[in-house]
Amino acid sequence: MEAPCMNKLKQKEFTLASLTDLTSSSSSPVVATFSCVDEVTELRFQESESADSFSFDLSSAQLFKLGALQLVCVCDSSNSTKENSFSRGVVIKFRDEKESKDFCDSFEEWTKDAVTKGSCLPNGTVSYSSSKFDNKIEAASAKMYFHYYGQLLHQQNMLQDYVRTGTYHAAVMENRSDFSGRVVVDVGAGSGILSMFAALAGAKHVYAVEASEMADYARKLIAGNPLLAERITVIKGKIEDVELPEKADVLISEPMGTLLVNERMLETYVIARDRFLSPNGKMFPTVGRIHMAPFADEFLFIEMANKALFWQHQNYYGVDLTPLYGSAHQGYFSQPVVDAFDPRLLVAPSMFHVIDFTKMKEEQFYEIDVPLKFTASVCTRVHGLACWFDVLFDGSTVQRWFTTAPGAPTTHWYQIRCVLLQPIHVMAGQEITGRLHLVAHSAQSYTINLNLSAKMWGPGANQGGILQTSSCKLDLKEPYYRMSQPQVYPVAQEPPAQPQDLQIQSDDLEEVELLQQNTNAQF
């Protein structure tokens, strides 16, 4: 007999094409029902032509997709002490893709609300159901991530980024009307500094949610500020898992990573929006923009190429290293370069891609595709694409932007540059097109696929196609941290003092000389 359950979902049935037990070769049509029995949410399978049935406890069930019409559902063994042990598994087949999708959506809804029998979820308690975060992020990456942000030295590094911390403080204090008397949720609270800013602005109550060990330090820091402590509750847990006693009027967070999206914290930010933010609630920050522009930097390109020259040793203690030269060269160019660079290295006006945190769906962060189109302002060799970001705090009183642009005060994000394996030559006025394609992966970062092309320029260009193209594939998780401050470049870049370290073809030397002559002519 069904009993009242903690979740408010209505019982739902699906008629399956067939159901096959993993331990059996036989299959038969089955009706699958999501329901709540004795305060336990379950998925019940009932054979159409018999009274036989069995159930999976949704608090321990997992679903895997084999194809458009085929899934595998497994249930954890409650009696086994072995890790990753399952008591039963079934292969589910559907009649069409719509039924398959509806079943997956229902499974996600019911497992999210599934609670172990007899347990409750007071403020800050984490459910035992399978975490959405854990399902998409590999355990080793999550462990390292939370360990990193659980250390005070890294929190200090962020707090001492005065551009970052000062902008957040100003955005909150300039918009006191958005915080005064309001309920605020701090998403990924860290040290709790943003929670205390919200309390200083008059927030009615602040829920500071932090999954790392930093939550314990945040409690200690907040307790040491008694005038604020009574209005701040620190909750240790993931946003995807915790329960809060009330909806929020305001979300505040610092979810930005390198290239804005690195670490995939923005997904957690929009999950918090969907779970906890009241209709018409405020988000600080509100909108993010990824800015992009092609750049020319002969020094950087030669530096990257020189890194792999070690592997050209043909007699390194009697060993020929050259078989690995190609792989090493590819490896160095697969690292995005993180540094603060001189904006004069940009060879075209920048463009930007907008990410609206109030509207963006979590799934839209899994793959981000940006068409590129620029017009070169100088004659040069383009060595890659430079990127930076800014975010908007859209307050009711003041709209404040925070930027990481080259030439602006440097932040701990710096800027990022994707270096092409092969530069492309452009003339002033020539069109540069391409594509920046970001694909999320389970190590809390992105694979970057960059393609740049120079279209034919001059008389007859409207009849011509692509003149030259170059591409690269990079892992945003493994950047090359090059320097902490912008390097001072001369007006015309000169070749390194010892060019013999790099094998350059005579044609390339002529191109470098031509580049220098063109640059000098402009000044």
Side-chain angles (χ1 to χ4, degrees):
M1 179 178 178
E2 295 188 4
C5 191
M6 291 184 67
N7 69 51
K8 299 178 181 180
L9 299 174
K10 294 182 180 180
Q11 178 175 307
K12 198 163 187 178
E13 289 188 356
F14 291 87
T15 301
L16 310 179
S18 69
L19 187 78
T20 307
D21 198 301
L22 291 179
T23 60
S24 170
S25 59
S26 61
S27 64
S28 60
V30 167
V31 174
T33 306
F34 292 95
S35 62
C36 189
V37 179
D38 296 329
E39 298 188 359
V40 176
T41 52
E42 66 176 24
L43 173 58
R44 184 186 308 152
F45 297 101
Q46 175 79 47
E47 291 188 19
S48 303
E49 300 177 356
S50 73
D52 295 337
S53 67
F54 61 93
S55 301
F56 282 0
D57 184 343
L58 287 173
S59 66
S60 60
Q62 296 185 47
L63 196 64
F64 304 93
K65 191 171 184 178
L66 297 181
L69 302 178
Q70 197 169 6
L71 306 171
V72 170
C73 186
V74 293
C75 186
D76 290 351
S77 172
S78 58
N79 299 323
S80 174
T81 58
K82 295 182 180 180
E83 192 174 350
N84 296 331
S85 176
F86 301 101
S87 58
R88 190 166 190 176
V90 292
V91 177
I92 306 171
K93 291 185 179 180
F94 297 89
R95 294 174 295 186
D96 54 57
E97 290 189 21
K98 184 180 184 304
E99 285 189 351
S100 176
K101 183 182 183 303
D102 291 345
F103 183 91
C104 291
D105 291 343
S106 295
F107 186 92
E108 183 177 351
E109 281 186 305
W110 280 80
T111 51
K112 184 168 65 175
D113 287 355
V115 179
T116 305
K117 182 179 179 181
S119 67
C120 59
L121 289 175
N123 178 24
T125 301
V126 180
S127 163
Y128 290 104
S129 61
S130 180
S131 169
K132 191 170 188 178
F133 179 91
D134 296 336
N135 287 339
K136 69 181 180 181
I137 301 300
E138 60 186 46
S141 175
K143 182 178 180 180
M144 184 178 298
Y145 175 79
F146 290 124
H147 173 73
Y148 179 92
Y149 285 108
Q151 300 180 65
L152 281 174
L153 69 157
H154 298 305
Q155 294 293 328
Q156 179 178 335
N157 178 49
M158 292 185 289
L159 289 171
Q160 288 182 319
D161 181 342
Y162 300 114
V163 181
R164 163 197 178 268
T165 307
T167 302
Y168 268 90
H169 182 266
V172 173
M173 295 306 167
E174 291 170 341
N175 293 285
R176 287 175 181 267
S177 61
D178 290 326
F179 290 86
S180 182
R182 308 297 175 88
V183 175
V184 179
V185 172
D186 185 354
V187 181
S191 64
I193 188 70
L194 301 185
S195 296
M196 288 185 277
F197 288 172
L200 284 169
K204 175 185 175 183
H205 201 86
V206 183
Y207 297 97
V209 183
E210 172 58 40
S212 77
E213 296 302 315
M214 187 51 56
D216 298 326
Y217 288 111
R219 287 193 183 102
K220 187 175 182 179
L221 182 61
I222 291 167
N225 292 266
L227 295 179
L228 306 177
E230 61 184 14
R231 288 182 287 123
I232 302 175
T233 299
V234 177
I235 299 171
K236 189 174 183 180
K238 301 185 185 76
I239 279 290
E240 293 83 354
D241 303 339
V242 301
E243 299 293 334
L244 300 179
E246 55 188 326
K247 289 287 187 179
D249 302 302
V250 182
L251 292 186
I252 190 167
S253 182
E254 195 265 76
M256 301 89 73
T258 309
L259 195 59
L260 184 62
V261 296
N262 189 38
E263 297 180 342
R264 300 183 64 179
M265 176 68 180
L266 286 172
E267 294 168 41
T268 297
Y269 190 37
V270 300
I271 288 172
R273 175 201 68 198
D274 295 340
R275 295 195 66 203
F276 303 126
L277 189 61
S278 299
N280 302 317
K282 286 281 186 179
M283 297 180 73
F284 281 66
T286 317
V287 173
R289 301 188 302 187
I290 301 174
H291 295 258
M292 299 145 285
F295 72 91
D297 192 342
E298 205 73 36
F299 281 133
L300 175 60
F301 181 75
I302 293 175
E303 176 186 330
M304 298 284 284
N306 273 341
K307 283 174 173 288
L309 290 182
F310 167 78
W311 297 96
Q312 286 192 340
H313 279 99
Q314 295 179 345
N315 186 8
Y316 188 73
Y317 295 97
V319 177
D320 182 3
L321 301 182
T322 58
L324 293 182
Y325 170 73
S327 298
H329 187 268
Q330 180 78 36
Y332 284 119
F333 278 87
S334 72
Q335 290 185 285
V337 178
V338 176
D339 67 351
F341 64 84
D342 191 323
R344 290 178 295 177
L345 296 177
L346 302 177
V347 302
S350 64
M351 58 170 287
F352 60 81
H353 176 74
V354 178
I355 297 177
D356 188 340
F357 306 140
T358 66
K359 299 177 181 178
M360 192 85 164
K361 295 179 180 178
E362 178 201 352
E363 294 75 15
Q364 290 178 294
F365 285 101
Y366 296 172
E367 192 168 350
I368 300 173
D369 194 54
V370 185
L372 304 174
K373 186 176 181 179
F374 308 97
T375 300
S377 54
V378 294
C379 302
T380 186
R381 293 211 306 176
V382 174
H383 294 100
L385 189 73
C387 305
W388 60 94
F389 70 85
D390 55 22
V391 293
L392 169 66
F393 298 91
D394 188 14
S396 299
T397 306
V398 176
Q399 290 186 328
R400 177 171 285 273
W401 284 94
F402 166 74
T403 183
T404 63
T410 304
T411 71
H412 77 282
W413 286 281
Y414 303 103
Q415 293 94 41
I416 188 168
R417 288 187 281 175
C418 304
V419 184
L420 296 168
L421 277 167
Q422 181 62 49
I424 59 176
H425 302 257
V426 296
M427 302 291 288
Q430 191 170 6
E431 186 176 275
I432 304 169
T433 59
R435 180 184 183 216
L436 180 67
H437 187 217
L438 308 177
V439 181
H441 59 65
S442 60
Q444 291 174 277
S445 194
Y446 285 79
T447 298
I448 303 173
N449 296 285
L450 172 65
N451 178 277
L452 287 179
S453 301
K455 295 188 71 174
M456 187 172 290
W457 180 84
N462 57 347
Q463 299 176 3
I466 299 299
L467 182 63
Q468 54 184 320
T469 186
S470 185
S471 61
C472 58
K473 183 177 182 179
L474 310 98
D475 187 354
L476 189 55
K477 180 77 171 182
E478 302 292 341
Y480 163 37
Y481 291 101
R482 186 171 180 235
M483 59 182 65
S484 58
Q485 292 297 328
Q487 180 171 328
V488 178
Y489 288 91
V491 173
Q493 295 188 28
E494 299 178 357
Q498 296 180 337
Q500 66 271 19
D501 289 343
L502 179 68
Q503 297 177 1
I504 303 178
Q505 302 296 326
S506 59
D507 290 344
D508 290 336
L509 288 174
E510 293 173 1
E511 291 163 2
V512 172
E513 291 173 1
L514 179 62
L515 168 64
Q516 293 172 350
Q517 293 169 7
N518 289 336
T519 306
N520 287 328
Q522 295 174 34
F523 294 92

